[in-house]
Structures are given as structure tokens and as C-alpha cells.
């Protein structure tokens, strides 16, 4: 478990991290989402004691990072994949790390195998592609078999196969009971990996919520129907008091009625359907809306409302965060 309490970081006049308070739980993948410059990397560096907070604390199972015995066996991290001594082979890079942290040599071969770099273990990492460097960075993070893993934008620059591999790896690590904290600036990436979501913008906490709840609250779901007998379909729907909106290309969009009911109706009226498909509006849009700061959330119901003047209501319920337009 990682606990942040009022964590704040100024770089000169720049407020990079602004009183962040949240907890990262064990046994799930927690996504750490925010646009570029939101303060994700700074927060992660402070978690690892690589940067000093201006204010506030980070505790890892109740301790400061520097109070942990053998930190590499406790917390593994991938921060900057290119921060590797390029002249060393992948094997030697990991061996040095292992030896200076009391980790058995045999573990090096194991992690190289896990990340799929065994065949290039003897090659200098200088010549590695970004994807291979990411894999090597992940091997280093896994070396001490840590309970807690931090990955900062691990999918950046990876090909689809690599992205798929990392997603599964993170899920498997969490399923083994580890704490997995992974940052991204892409909502779509988080939606496929994370079970819990922390969203920040301009250093501030915007949302602290389960992914399911985030999706539920932020994506409009509707059903798309298409029929060569659209007029008759509209009559049937209207007869049932169901509102349908015709969008170009002969499709209808229906909110708030399950596809099962619509399919049943069509069948009873012997209507030919060419399409009956549940749809979800893009989460990416919801995320951009959230971080743009142009709307704010009622903490108690999570529904987006247009910006109001005056202070926001106190945080309650699922969001765990009051948030308001920065500086407004
Ligand atoms: P993210 O990882 O979400 O893209 P960062 O944590 O890298 O965001 O950056 C947050 C803010 O802090 C940015 O405005 C960035 O320019 C600033 N910042 C980050 N590191 C430093 C540093 N070492 N010195 C000065 N400013 C920094
Ligand atoms: Mg970053």
C-alpha cells in the first residue's frame, strides 16, 4: 500500500504537485492518469525518494522509502527506460543491480526470460530499440521480486505486441497480490488495464475512483439500430414510448433502453435489423473534459455540470476529491 498525504512539490515558482492525497491499494492495477505536465513523474519520483517533497509525505506500508530494508526487493520501478548504462550488456546491467542489492545471480536469467530478452542478453543496451529498453527497465524493476511496482508511462514507444504484453504483465503482477501503480496520459490505455483510477491535472487530484465507476459515470451508453424499414421501426419505438434519434447513414440511436428489449421488440414486429449494437461514447473525451477544467463535478453524484461560481461542495462518495477549475 502506498499512501500520499498532502504531497506537494514546487520547482522554483512552478507548482508541479499540489497537495495530493490518495492511497494505492494492493492486489490491483491502479492507473495514474493525467495530461503531459500534470505531475505524474514528479509524484512517482517522490514515492521513490528521488525527489524531496516541498510539503506532505509518501508512505509505503507505513514507512518512508528510505526506511525500507533492501528497497529493491520491496519496490520496483520503471521510470525512464533510457536511463541505463548503454555500454553494458543487458545481462551485466541487471547483474550489477542484483549484486549491489543482495539479489541472487540466478534471478537475472529469470527476469530476462520474463521480459523476453534472453536472446539479446549479451548485447549492449546502447543499441536497443525503445521497446527493448522498456523491457530491460521492466526486468530491472522485477529483479528484486518486489511487492510494489511503479511504471511511468511504460507503453510509450512500444509496438502493439509490446503494449499487449505489458498490459498482461501488469494484470498478472496484480493478480499475484502485488501493488501495481502505472501512469499514462492516455485514457484508452488505462481503461484496458487499470481497475482503479487516480486522475490528476495541473498537479491536483481530480478523481479517485474505480475504473468501472468512472466508465459508468462518464461514458454515455446507447444502442445503435439500423433497419431497412426505418419508418416502421420508428413507429414501433414511438408506440412503446421510446425516443430514437436518427443520425446519418440510416442509423438510430436510443438512450436508456437495453439492446435486449429493442431486439425483442423488433422480433415481435417482424422487423428486419441490419444492426443492433450497444455503444459507449469515448472515455478519452470524458478524460479531456475532466482535465480541461471547464466543468466541475458534484462530489456526491459525480455528474458533470457546467462551471459554477462559488466554492465546490465538500467531497463525498466515490470521487474522493473535490476539484474545481484551477485558479478559479
Ligand atoms: P508528467 O509526468 O505528468 O508529464 P511532470 O511530473 O514531468 O509531469 O512535470 C510536472 C511539472 O513540473 C511540469 O510543469 C514540469 O515542467 C515541471 N518539472 C518537472 N520536473 C522538473 C524539474 N526537475 N525542474 C523544474 N521543473 C520540473
Ligand atoms: Mg512524465
Amino acid at each position: 500500500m502506498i499512501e500520499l498525504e498532502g504531497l506537494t512539490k514546487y520547482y522554483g515558482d512552478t507548482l508541479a504537485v499540489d497537495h495530493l492525497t490518495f492511497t494505492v491499494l494492493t492486489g490491483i492495477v491502479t492507473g495514474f492518469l493525467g495530461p503531459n505536465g500534470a505531475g505524474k513523474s514528479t509524484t512517482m519520483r517522490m514515492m521513490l525518494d528521488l525527489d524531496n517533497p516541498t510539503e506532505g509525505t509518501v508512505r509505503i506500508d507505513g514507512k518512508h522509502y528510505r526506511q525500507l530494508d533492501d528497497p529493491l526487493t520491496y519496490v520496483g520501478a520503471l521510470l525512464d527506460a533510457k536511463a541505463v548504462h548503454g555500454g553494458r550488456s543487458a545481462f551485466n546491467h541487471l547483474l550489477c543491480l542484483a549484486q549491489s542489492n543482495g539479489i541472487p545471480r540466478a534471478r537475472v536469467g529469470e527476469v530476462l526470460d520474463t521480459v523476453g530478452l534472453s536472446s539479446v542478453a549479451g548485447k549492449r543496451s546502447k543499441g536497443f530499440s525503445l521497446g527493448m529498453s522498456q523491457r530491460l527497465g521492466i526486468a530491472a524493476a522485477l529483479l528484486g521480486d518486489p511487492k510494489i511496482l511503479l511504471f511511468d508511462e511504460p507503453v510509450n514507444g512500444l509496438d502493439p505486441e509490446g503494449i499487449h504484453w505489458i498490459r498482461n504483465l501488469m494484470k498478472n503482477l496484480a493478480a499475484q497480490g502485488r501493488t501495481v501503480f502505472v501512469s499514462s496520459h492516455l485514457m484508452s490505455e488505462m481503461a484496458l488495464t487499470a481497475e482503479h483510477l487516480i486522475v490528476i491535472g495541473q498537479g491536483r487530484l481530480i478523481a479517485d475512483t474505480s475504473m468501472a465507476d468512472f466508465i459508468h459515470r462518464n461514458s454515455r451508453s446507447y444502442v445503435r439500430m439500423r433497419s431497412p424499414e426505418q419508418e416502421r421501426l420508428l413507429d414501433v419505438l414511438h408506440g412503446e414510448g421510446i425516443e430514437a434519434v436518427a443520425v446519418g447513414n440510416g442509423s438510430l440511436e436510443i438512450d436508456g433502453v437495453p439492446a435486449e428489449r429493442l431486439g425483442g421488440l423488433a422480433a415481435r414486429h417482424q422487423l428486419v435489423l441490419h444492426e443492433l449494437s450497444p455503444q459507449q461514447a469515448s472515455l478519452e473525451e470524458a478524460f479531456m473534459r475532466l482535465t480541461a477544467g471547464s466543468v466541475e463535478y458534484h462530489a456526491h453524484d459525480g455528474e458533470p455540470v457546467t462551471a459554477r461560481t462559488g466554492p465546490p461542495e465538500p467531497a463525498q462518495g466515490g470521487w474522493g476529491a473535490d476539484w474545481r477549475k484551477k485558479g478559479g
Side-chain angles (χ1 to χ4, degrees), residues 6-299:
L7 194 71
T8 301
K9 179 71 186 181
Y10 275 96
Y11 290 111
D13 287 342
T14 306
L15 179 54
V17 174
D18 187 0
H19 296 89
L20 284 185
T21 299
F22 62 83
T23 299
V24 184
L25 295 174
T26 300
I28 55 169
V29 177
T30 298
F32 190 33
L33 183 66
N36 287 324
K40 302 180 298 295
S41 298
T42 304
T43 302
M44 292 172 111
R45 281 200 306 273
M46 290 193 283
M47 287 176 165
L48 295 161
D49 200 29
L50 295 171
D51 225 332
N52 289 320
T54 310
E55 229 182 89
T57 54
V58 183
R59 284 177 204 282
I60 294 168
D61 288 345
K63 291 182 179 174
H64 284 293
Y65 183 87
R66 69 187 90 108
Q67 293 173 319
L68 300 172
D69 305 322
D70 300 325
L72 222 56
T73 64
Y74 211 95
V75 186
L78 169 77
L79 292 191
D80 180 359
K82 281 289 174 198
V84 165
H85 192 304
R88 281 193 194 129
S89 70
F91 186 91
N92 282 335
H93 167 67
L94 295 173
L95 184 62
C96 283
L97 272 177
Q99 283 173 340
S100 52
N101 287 276
I103 295 164
R105 183 189 175 94
R107 186 71 190 141
V108 172
E110 280 173 28
V111 294
L112 281 167
D113 204 37
T114 304
V115 303
L117 289 180
S118 299
S119 61
V120 293
K123 293 225 164 76
R124 282 172 190 219
S125 59
K126 205 176 346 195
F128 280 12
S129 66
L130 181 56
M132 287 160 86
S133 301
Q134 295 283 65
R135 285 175 191 255
L136 182 57
I138 289 166
L142 296 175
L143 200 58
D145 198 19
K147 302 200 321 186
I148 297 174
L149 286 143
L150 308 183
F151 297 119
D152 192 7
E153 308 250 8
V155 306
N156 271 5
L158 288 194
D159 57 12
E161 190 268 335
I163 292 173
H164 183 73
W165 171 78
I166 285 201
R167 274 185 209 141
N168 282 333
L169 177 77
M170 291 189 294
K171 286 186 193 170
N172 288 337
L173 291 166
Q176 292 162 6
R178 297 175 215 262
T179 304
V180 181
F181 189 58
V182 52
S183 76
S184 177
H185 62 280
L186 295 173
M187 182 67 223
S188 49
E189 190 47 47
M190 296 279 90
L192 289 169
T193 322
E195 206 174 308
H196 197 88
L197 192 62
I198 306 282
V199 185
I200 64 168
Q202 295 174 305
R204 288 173 158 226
L205 188 65
I206 291 175
D208 178 350
T209 172
S210 74
M211 182 57 78
D213 208 36
F214 183 88
I215 291 172
H216 176 71
R217 287 170 192 271
N218 287 284
S219 52
R220 168 185 167 236
S221 47
Y222 59 96
V223 176
R224 189 155 68 209
M225 286 182 99
R226 200 154 46 84
S227 167
E229 308 168 80
Q230 196 188 64
E231 286 304 312
R232 203 155 72 80
L233 174 59
L234 276 168
D235 286 345
V236 166
L237 293 172
H238 289 159
E240 293 285 320
I242 295 170
E243 256 185 65
V245 177
V247 294
N249 71 358
S251 297
L252 298 177
E253 289 184 1
I254 297 122
D255 279 77
V257 183
E260 291 78 1
R261 180 166 167 222
L262 296 169
L265 264 178
R268 272 204 301 290
H269 290 87
Q270 303 202 319
L271 273 160
V272 174
L273 293 185
H274 288 171
E275 184 175 3
L276 173 70
S277 55
Q279 303 283 328
Q280 292 237 304
S282 146
L283 282 176
E284 212 71 55
E285 280 172 49
F287 165 55
M288 285 192 296
R289 213 171 53 222
L290 203 57
T291 51
S294 57
V295 294
E296 71 182 25
Y297 276 69
H298 277 300

